[in-house]
């Protein structure tokens, strides 16, 4: 399996640190708002990478953090007059809902920065002890020049950075030894959440979070560290400096980065007013369509979001859904059980589609070509499966399309629609529960129906229902 490594700027054969295992860390969002579709791209891309490793039999330890202490969270908390943790808890919950709707698997562990402060204080102390960091008036800085390999990921040269260095100075940071130095710990300002440390009551810088959480849950060395390409510099460069200086070992073997997402050929930005949240897209489309759209381009190519491309994705996904529904229908009418010799030969040909699919995925996760192989398989199923086919042949095709789609996280089995009489029966049970003041059960039934796309409305004529 080959993947492109930002560190070496070339595609490399994947060799795990430990046989059969993958240790993977993906930088997660800062939770101060609903996630936007730019946040969704790395979630979908690296979830697909994980799923493919699992399909190949690897055991994947997948860690992705939530940054739950940050200037933006504090600003939002002040605006709303609530605590910072109320803001972050709210948006972690909302983010998890969006992830589920996009069929992004929960990480093995989703650490929260605020629960790992102790480890951060420990690593900062270690860096000071080794001479890689220093304290000035309660703030701790990383001494960038002391880490000789600084710039190796972003392929930047320290002297070039230095010449533009004056611009890097932020007010209040003029006490730094060198403009290239970055913050590891900063003292609190009035009204901000803070933790105790040997240097000041304050909070950690953003970069140290990931170094510490990755070390705690995956160890000093990991296989893959991933995120959006906007994180290469300075975030990932700084993570490498901190981790390798503290641990004395190479941090991550492979660095993977997804490219930008534009909207109607413009960069997504608050000032352009073209910010699109995943929630908004979910009101227009099933989020499986968004997932299909994201995977229809290579992850290292810039992707342009537009209504036309979303329509095309919807049609593409529908082709697979229709083929799967058709196979299911044929399975219902087929009378023959076992494959004939002729069918066995026909089924053996599907191996070619699987091989092509795997070859695409193993060429730096070319999901666009992998989808093309699923289309080839769908076309083959559409032309060879009939009501005369055996159940075994139909089931074989059905299972294969579902399996290859599932590796991409695409759910292609339509859920059976609930029958009207079953809905009515549940509504009657809910009315009984309400009469008996068993509101817990009544709510459970409403949620169960909602989960199946049935919306209840209490009207004067009684309870009415409709499909969402
Ligand atoms: Zn990070």
């Amino acid at each position: 399996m080959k993947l492109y490594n930002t560190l070496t700027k070339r595609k490399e054969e994947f060799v795990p640190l430990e046989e059969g295992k993958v240790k993977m860390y993906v930088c997660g969002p800062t939770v101060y708002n609903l996630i936007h579709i730019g946040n969704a791209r790395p979630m979908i891309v690296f979830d697909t990478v994980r799923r493919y490793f699992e399909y190949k039999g690897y055991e994947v330890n997948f860690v992705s953090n939530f940054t739950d202490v940050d200037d933006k969270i504090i600003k939002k908390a002040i605006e709303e007059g609530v605590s910072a943790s109320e803001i972050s808890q709210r948006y972690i919950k909302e983010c998890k809902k969006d992830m589920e709707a996009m069929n992004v698997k929960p990480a093995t562990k989703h650490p929260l920065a605020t629960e790992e402060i102790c480890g951060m204080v420990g690593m900062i102390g270690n860096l000071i002890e080794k001479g890689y960091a220093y304290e000035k008036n309660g703030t701790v800085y990383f001494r960038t020049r002391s880490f000789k390999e600084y710039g190796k990921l972003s392929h930047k040269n320290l002297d070039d950075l230095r010449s533009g260095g004056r611009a890097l100075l932020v007010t209040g940071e003029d006490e730094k030894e060198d403009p290239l130095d970055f913050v590891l710990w900063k003292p609190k300002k009035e009204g901000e959440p803070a933790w105790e440390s040997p240097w000041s009551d304050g909070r950690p810088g953003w970069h140290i979070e990931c170094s510490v959480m990755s070390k705690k849950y995956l160890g000093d060395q990991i296989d893959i560290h991933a995120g959006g390409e906007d994180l290469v510099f300075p975030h990932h460069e700084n993570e490498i400096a901190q981790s390798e200086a503290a641990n004395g070992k190479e941090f991550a073997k492979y660095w993977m980065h997804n490219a930008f997402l534009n909207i109607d050929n413009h960069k997504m930005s608050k000032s352009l007013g073209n910010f699109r949240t995943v929630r908004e897209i979910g009101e227009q489309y099933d989020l499986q369509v968004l997932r299909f759209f994201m995977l229809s381009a290579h992850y290292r190519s810039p992707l342009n979001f537009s209504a036309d491309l979303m329509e095309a994705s919807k049609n593409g996904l529908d082709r697979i859904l229709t083929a799967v529904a058709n196979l299911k229908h044929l399975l219902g009418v087929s009378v023959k059980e076992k494959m004939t010799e002729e069918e066995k030969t026909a089924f053996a040909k599907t191996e070619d589609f699987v091989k092509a699919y795997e070859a695409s995925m193993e060429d730096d996760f070319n999901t666009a070509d992998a989808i093309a192989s699923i289309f080839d398989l769908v076309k083959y199923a559409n032309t060879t499966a009939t009501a005369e086919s055996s159940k075994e042949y139909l089931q074989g095709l059905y299972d294969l399309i579902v399996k290859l789609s599932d590796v991409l996280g695409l759910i292609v089995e339509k859920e059976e629609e609930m029958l009207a009489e079953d809905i009515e029966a549940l509504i009657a049970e809910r009315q009984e529960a309400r009469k008996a003041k068993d509101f817990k059960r009544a709510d459970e039934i409403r949620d169960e129906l909602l989960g199946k796309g049935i919306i209840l409305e209490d009207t004067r004529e009684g309870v009415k229902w409709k499909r969402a």
Side-chain angles (χ1 to χ4, degrees):
M1 195 182 314
K2 282 194 158 55
L3 50 86
Y4 182 87
N5 189 354
T6 309
L7 197 60
T8 56
K9 288 170 111 175
R10 58 187 177 88
K11 281 187 202 172
E12 288 176 30
E13 188 64 32
F14 177 75
V15 183
L17 288 165
E18 202 181 325
E19 187 72 35
K21 292 188 178 169
V22 181
K23 293 187 226 143
M24 191 168 173
Y25 187 96
V26 182
C27 293
T30 301
V31 278
Y32 66 101
N33 219 329
L34 290 172
I35 58 163
H36 57 72
I37 55 174
N39 301 124
R41 193 172 187 194
M43 287 178 183
I44 289 172
V45 163
F46 299 116
D47 177 62
T48 305
V49 168
R50 170 196 190 171
R51 285 168 182 267
Y52 190 73
F53 276 118
E54 286 174 344
Y55 164 79
K56 293 302 280 184
Y58 285 95
E59 187 189 308
V60 184
N61 193 346
F62 188 100
V63 176
S64 188
N65 65 300
F66 285 114
T67 294
D68 63 342
V69 56
D70 171 271
D71 289 342
K72 290 181 188 128
I73 298 172
I74 294 168
K75 185 168 170 262
K76 180 108 171 180
I78 292 167
E79 277 167 18
E80 289 193 18
V82 297
S83 69
S85 73
E86 190 171 329
I87 296 291
S88 57
Q89 288 301 326
R90 181 197 306 161
Y91 289 111
I92 287 170
K93 214 167 134 197
E94 297 300 336
C95 178
K96 285 185 173 171
K97 275 190 214 165
D98 287 335
M99 285 169 73
E100 194 186 340
M102 296 188 294
N103 201 25
V104 170
K105 286 188 180 189
T108 317
K109 174 75 188 173
H110 282 290
L112 304 184
T114 54
E115 292 176 358
E116 310 290 345
I117 304 285
C118 193
M120 297 179 209
V121 169
M123 190 181 275
I124 296 169
N126 175 353
L127 289 169
I128 293 177
E129 219 166 273
K130 290 185 171 162
Y132 287 109
Y134 58 95
E135 184 252 348
K136 284 266 173 80
N137 301 321
T139 302
V140 183
Y141 299 97
F142 188 88
R143 190 175 276 129
T144 301
R145 273 183 186 277
S146 66
F147 182 69
K148 295 290 169 250
E149 292 177 276
Y150 194 84
K152 68 176 174 180
L153 180 72
S154 53
H155 307 283
K156 286 181 196 287
N157 174 309
L158 270 183
D159 293 320
D160 292 347
L161 286 171
R162 170 95 203 181
S163 62
R166 284 290 129 195
L168 293 174
L169 270 185
V170 179
T171 330
E173 291 190 3
D174 41 3
E175 60 201 10
K176 289 200 267 190
E177 288 176 1
D178 186 315
L180 293 176
D181 296 349
F182 58 90
V183 172
L184 298 175
W185 185 268
K186 55 182 158 190
K188 71 165 182 182
K189 292 189 198 117
E190 196 50 43
E192 287 184 355
W195 290 263
E196 275 180 25
S197 84
W199 317 290
S200 59
D201 283 358
R203 59 189 164 101
W206 171 39
H207 315 301
I208 196 77
E209 292 178 14
C210 291
S211 284
V212 168
M213 293 187 268
S214 181
K215 179 183 169 80
K216 177 165 175 188
Y217 295 101
L218 298 170
D220 287 356
Q221 284 191 291
I222 67 172
D223 293 291
I224 300 173
H225 194 116
E229 69 179 9
D230 52 326
L231 298 184
V232 174
F233 186 85
H235 185 54
H236 287 164
E237 196 69 74
N238 291 355
E239 279 189 43
I240 290 178
Q242 298 162 158
S243 293
E244 299 193 357
N247 304 327
K249 284 181 186 156
E250 185 183 37
F251 180 27
K253 259 177 103 176
Y254 307 94
W255 287 83
M256 295 178 74
H257 295 98
N258 65 276
F260 281 123
L261 185 117
N262 289 328
I263 295 193
D264 296 322
N265 294 312
H266 293 288
K267 203 178 158 191
M268 185 164 55
S269 75
K270 283 246 160 72
S271 55
L272 283 173
N274 62 356
F275 233 72
R276 301 289 295 272
T277 63
V278 168
R279 203 55 63 83
E280 283 164 351
I281 306 297
E283 285 162 11
Q284 271 178 287
Y285 295 94
D286 184 331
L287 288 175
Q288 285 287 298
V289 175
L290 182 67
R291 183 159 186 133
F292 186 94
F293 162 76
M294 296 270 185
L295 297 178
S296 58
H298 190 266
Y299 75 93
R300 284 190 293 114
S301 307
L303 183 58
N304 185 42
F305 181 93
S306 71
D308 285 353
L309 289 171
M310 280 297 280
E311 277 308 312
S313 297
K314 186 172 181 291
N315 294 336
L317 184 60
D318 272 344
R319 265 164 75 188
I320 308 176
L321 292 171
T322 307
V324 168
N326 184 41
L327 286 168
K328 192 158 201 180
H329 165 74
L330 292 175
L331 271 164
V333 296
S334 161
V335 288
K336 276 182 266 170
E337 289 297 328
K338 291 280 164 203
M339 276 198 226
T340 61
E341 285 308 312
E342 212 175 303
E343 281 180 332
K344 279 182 190 163
T345 313
F347 193 75
K349 283 187 189 151
T350 62
E351 193 53 37
D352 295 343
F353 304 122
V354 177
K355 275 191 193 138
Y357 173 94
E358 291 184 356
S360 303
M361 291 299 278
E362 292 183 18
D363 180 17
D364 192 29
F365 301 96
N366 191 334
T367 52
D369 285 358
I371 288 175
S373 294
I374 296 181
F375 281 151
D376 289 339
L377 177 61
V378 158
K379 203 167 151 196
Y380 189 72
N382 289 345
T383 49
T384 62
T386 69
E388 310 302 315
S389 305
S390 68
K391 284 191 195 303
E392 194 186 5
Y393 182 69
L394 295 167
Q395 191 69 50
L397 289 173
Y398 180 94
D399 290 346
L400 196 53
I401 298 174
V402 170
K403 184 168 141 194
L404 298 186
S405 304
D406 181 60
V407 175
L408 302 179
L410 298 170
I411 302 167
V412 293
E413 291 171 289
K414 269 188 192 152
E415 271 195 51
E416 302 260 333
E417 277 206 341
M418 265 191 107
L419 295 172
E421 57 194 56
D422 294 335
I423 298 169
E424 301 287 355
L426 276 171
I427 290 174
E429 193 193 331
R430 178 170 171 263
Q431 293 302 90
E432 286 303 311
R434 287 172 91 177
K435 249 188 239 162
K437 300 216 183 314
D438 183 358
F439 297 111
K440 191 169 161 272
R441 177 64 193 142
D443 285 347
E444 273 171 19
I445 294 171
R446 190 200 52 216
D447 291 345
E448 185 188 335
L449 286 167
L450 196 61
K452 292 186 169 147
I454 309 296
I455 297 167
L456 300 186
E457 278 175 293
D458 290 306
T459 70
R460 245 181 259 166
E461 295 86 48
V463 181
K464 291 205 168 138
W465 62 270
K466 63 175 185 193
R467 294 190 199 271

